[in-house]
């Protein structure tokens, strides 16, 4: 294994200039979710240049490719997300987005370039691989539709991975360290919209109306009892109402109101129960006020759980790359990731690659000042390549 890891590192070093060039190019020309057409072209061009096979199944944006080993074995999937965010970048950065108001503020440019680097290194030694490496350059992670788009291509009906690995750059983890956690690490997500229909009228005659605004405000208040009275206080859970809209004038009671919010939890087993609680509270509160409530849910994602059988492989790989003293137990995060959907196909695992600095300010994901050092790109490429090798050899 030491020999294989060394070869991978040397190969990635030989591609270093090309990997960084494409990382910078993707950073300069970011594209929003489901609009990653030029990014897709760049990925396809690089893979074709490296003589890596593109699959017949492809999502509208994003790329699926495969490296077939010279020896039989299992199939491991490596995934990187490719989309950017509607964020105006700090213009003082060395490399700045040329698409005004769009920025790689979550590091997906680094994820993409790292997977391309890993793919190039693995393909160089494909004859010695015992098994197959499936490459997933996934679109639309930021809007939670990309993983489903990949699954809907039907690729997993023909090529079914035995495991999925991915990583995310993480400013909360110090640079030079890798965060690893067994079990749930990122939260389940569900967005919700509550539409409350009543009967509007003049503000001077509220007795002639069925006021949806009163029903809405009491619904917002009642929703907080899910966390305070239904959920185990020791269990991570968040329910946030983030918008409430309705009305057109200061003296007119509106016909309807709309509430939107998000819910995050780590326990997939209570996901449906939470939806039922939200629905019951909205409908019964509306009914008390002679109104009607309609509840819809969207962006449903399960919690991301790192599969136990893959943790030891990840720990061994990360320790070989950076040393065991630089592997830390990653805290859970209430953010969500649609990488979790691949758990419907096979066990999954996500690393958190440290990029936090000890001197200066650590800017969070989705911040206009967020920027990933080049060294992290190359380090991440080697981590992905070695993970694939270690998994297939195991």
């Amino acid at each position: 294994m030491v020999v294989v890891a060394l070869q991978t590192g040397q190969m990635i070093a030989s591609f270093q200039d090309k990997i960084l060039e494409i990382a910078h190019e993707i950073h300069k020309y970011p594209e929003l979710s489901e609009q990653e057409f030029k990014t897709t072209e760049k990925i396809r061009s690089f893979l074709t240049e490296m003589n890596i096979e593109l699959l017949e199944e492809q999502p509208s944006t994003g790329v699926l490719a495969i490296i077939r080993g010279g020896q039989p074995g299992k199939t491991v999937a490596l995934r990187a997300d490719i989309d950017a965010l509607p964020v105006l970048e700090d213009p003082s950065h060395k490399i700045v987005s040329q698409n005004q108001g769009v920025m790689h503020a979550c590091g997906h440019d680094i994820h993409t370039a790292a997977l391309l680097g890993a793919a190039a290194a693995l393909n160089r030694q494909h004859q010695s691989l015992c098994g197959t490496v499936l490459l997933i350059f996934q679109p639309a992670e930021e809007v939670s539709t990309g993983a489903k788009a990949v699954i809907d291509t039907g690729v997993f009906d023909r090529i079914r991975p035995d495991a999925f690995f991915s990583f995310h750059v993480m400013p909360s983890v110090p640079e030079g360290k890798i965060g690893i956690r067994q079990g749930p690490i990122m939260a389940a997500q569900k967005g919700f919209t509550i539409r409350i229909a009543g009967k509007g009228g003049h503000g001077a005659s509220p007795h002639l109306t069925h006021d949806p605004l009163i029903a809405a405000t009491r619904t917002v208040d009642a929703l907080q009892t899910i966390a305070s009275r239904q959920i185990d206080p020791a269990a991570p859970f968040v329910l946030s109402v983030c918008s409430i809209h309705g009305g057109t004038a200061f003296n007119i009671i509106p016909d309807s109101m709309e509430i939107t919010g998000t819910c995050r939890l780590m326990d997939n087993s209570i996901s449906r129960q939470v939806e039922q609680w939200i629905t019951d509270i909205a409908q019964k509160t509306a009914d008390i006020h002679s109104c009607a409530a309609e509840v819809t849910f969207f962006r449903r994602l399960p919690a991301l759980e790192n599969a136990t059988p893959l943790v030891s492989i990840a720990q061994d790989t990360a320790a070989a790359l950076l040393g065991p003293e630089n592997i830390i137990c990653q805290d859970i995060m209430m953010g969500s990731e649609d990488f979790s959907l691949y758990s419907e196909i096979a066990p999954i695992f996500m690393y958190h690659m440290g990029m936090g600095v000890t001197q200066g300010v650590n800017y969070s994901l989705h911040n206009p000042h967020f920027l990933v050092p080049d060294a992290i790109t190359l380090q991440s490429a080697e981590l992905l390549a070695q993970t694939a090798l270690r998994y297939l050899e195991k």
Side-chain angles (χ1 to χ4, degrees):
M1 172 55 66
V2 173
V3 173
V4 173
L6 179 61
Q7 289 176 346
T8 303
Q10 289 173 339
M11 288 178 187
I12 287 171
S14 71
F15 292 117
Q16 173 176 321
D17 292 343
K18 185 67 175 177
I19 296 169
L20 295 180
E21 178 187 338
I22 198 166
H24 298 165
E25 187 73 6
I26 293 172
H27 187 89
K28 285 177 65 177
Y29 299 101
E31 295 174 297
L32 296 175
S33 302
E34 300 177 349
Q35 300 175 32
E36 312 96 327
F37 299 107
K38 291 183 179 179
T39 305
T40 296
E41 290 175 10
K42 290 184 181 75
I43 296 166
R44 293 174 69 92
S45 176
F46 182 91
L47 294 173
T48 301
E49 183 183 339
M50 295 293 125
N51 296 314
I52 295 174
E53 177 186 350
L54 304 179
L55 294 174
E56 59 186 56
E57 300 93 342
Q58 295 290 338
S60 298
T61 54
V63 181
L64 303 178
I66 194 167
I67 299 172
R68 304 181 191 273
Q71 307 297 323
K74 291 190 173 184
T75 297
V76 60
L78 302 179
R79 174 268 202 177
D81 36 15
I82 70 172
D83 54 331
L85 287 158
V87 174
L88 182 63
E89 185 166 14
D90 176 0
S92 69
H93 285 169
K94 181 176 66 174
I95 301 167
V96 182
S97 169
Q98 301 302 298
N99 294 340
Q100 186 77 357
V102 182
M103 176 191 172
H104 271 294
C106 203
H108 296 185
D109 50 341
I110 303 307
H111 300 172
T112 302
L115 182 52
L116 287 171
L122 291 167
N123 193 56
R124 276 278 183 92
Q125 53 185 312
H126 70 96
Q127 287 295 340
S128 63
L129 292 182
C130 298
T132 301
V133 181
L134 182 62
L135 307 170
I136 302 173
F137 295 88
Q138 183 207 293
E141 185 278 327
E142 296 293 355
V143 297
S144 306
T145 60
K148 185 177 185 303
V150 170
I151 293 169
D152 287 347
T153 65
V155 66
F156 302 129
D157 296 332
R158 187 167 68 90
I159 305 168
R160 198 169 186 88
D162 298 288
F164 290 81
F165 288 91
S166 188
F167 81 99
H168 204 298
V169 291
M170 194 57 58
S172 59
V173 176
E175 186 172 351
K177 299 185 182 297
I178 297 175
I180 290 178
R181 187 182 187 90
Q182 181 173 303
I185 185 170
M186 297 187 74
Q189 169 186 254
K190 52 184 81 272
F192 61 85
T193 300
I194 302 171
R195 295 179 178 87
I196 300 175
K199 177 185 175 184
H202 201 295
S205 306
H207 61 294
L208 300 179
T209 72
H210 299 153
D211 192 344
L213 196 152
I214 298 298
T217 57
R218 291 184 174 170
T219 297
V220 171
D221 185 52
L223 286 172
Q224 305 310 313
T225 64
I226 295 176
S228 66
R229 291 297 179 269
Q230 302 287 358
I231 302 293
D232 182 343
F237 181 87
V238 173
L239 189 152
S240 294
V241 173
C242 297
S243 75
I244 181 167
H245 297 284
T248 57
F250 80 100
N251 62 346
I252 300 174
I253 293 172
D255 275 328
S256 63
M257 297 291 295
E258 183 176 278
I259 300 166
T260 65
T262 185
C263 185
R264 308 297 173 101
L265 58 149
M266 301 302 294
D267 185 355
N268 286 325
S269 69
I270 64 168
S271 184
R272 289 190 178 182
Q273 180 63 67
V274 169
E275 290 191 9
Q276 191 61 55
W277 285 329
I278 293 171
T279 301
D280 287 348
I281 286 172
Q283 292 179 343
K284 291 175 181 178
T285 304
D287 184 58
I288 290 171
H289 297 283
S290 301
C291 297
E294 177 188 2
V295 183
T296 56
F297 295 93
F298 57 94
R299 291 201 186 181
R300 290 181 171 109
L301 294 175
L304 196 165
E305 297 190 21
N306 284 334
T308 301
L310 304 184
V311 173
S312 62
I313 291 171
Q315 288 175 329
D316 290 347
T317 307
L321 180 63
L322 294 182
E325 70 280 3
N326 290 314
I327 311 309
I328 66 172
C329 181
Q330 173 65 30
D331 293 334
I332 62 170
M333 300 176 61
M334 297 311 286
S336 301
E337 245 282 358
D338 73 352
F339 181 61
S340 62
L341 287 177
Y342 296 113
S343 64
E344 299 172 1
I345 310 299
I348 64 174
F349 183 90
M350 175 173 278
Y351 295 100
H352 281 167
M353 176 64 75
M355 55 165 287
V357 297
T358 55
Q359 301 292 326
V361 179
N362 282 311
Y363 293 106
S364 67
L365 302 173
H366 296 207
N367 185 288
H369 304 287
F370 179 84
L371 192 65
V372 184
D374 285 345
I376 303 299
T377 307
L378 303 175
Q379 205 172 62
S380 300
E382 189 168 356
L383 178 68
L384 288 176
Q386 289 194 27
T387 299
L389 289 170
R390 192 175 293 269
Y391 178 82
L392 294 178
E393 291 187 359
K394 288 270 186 176

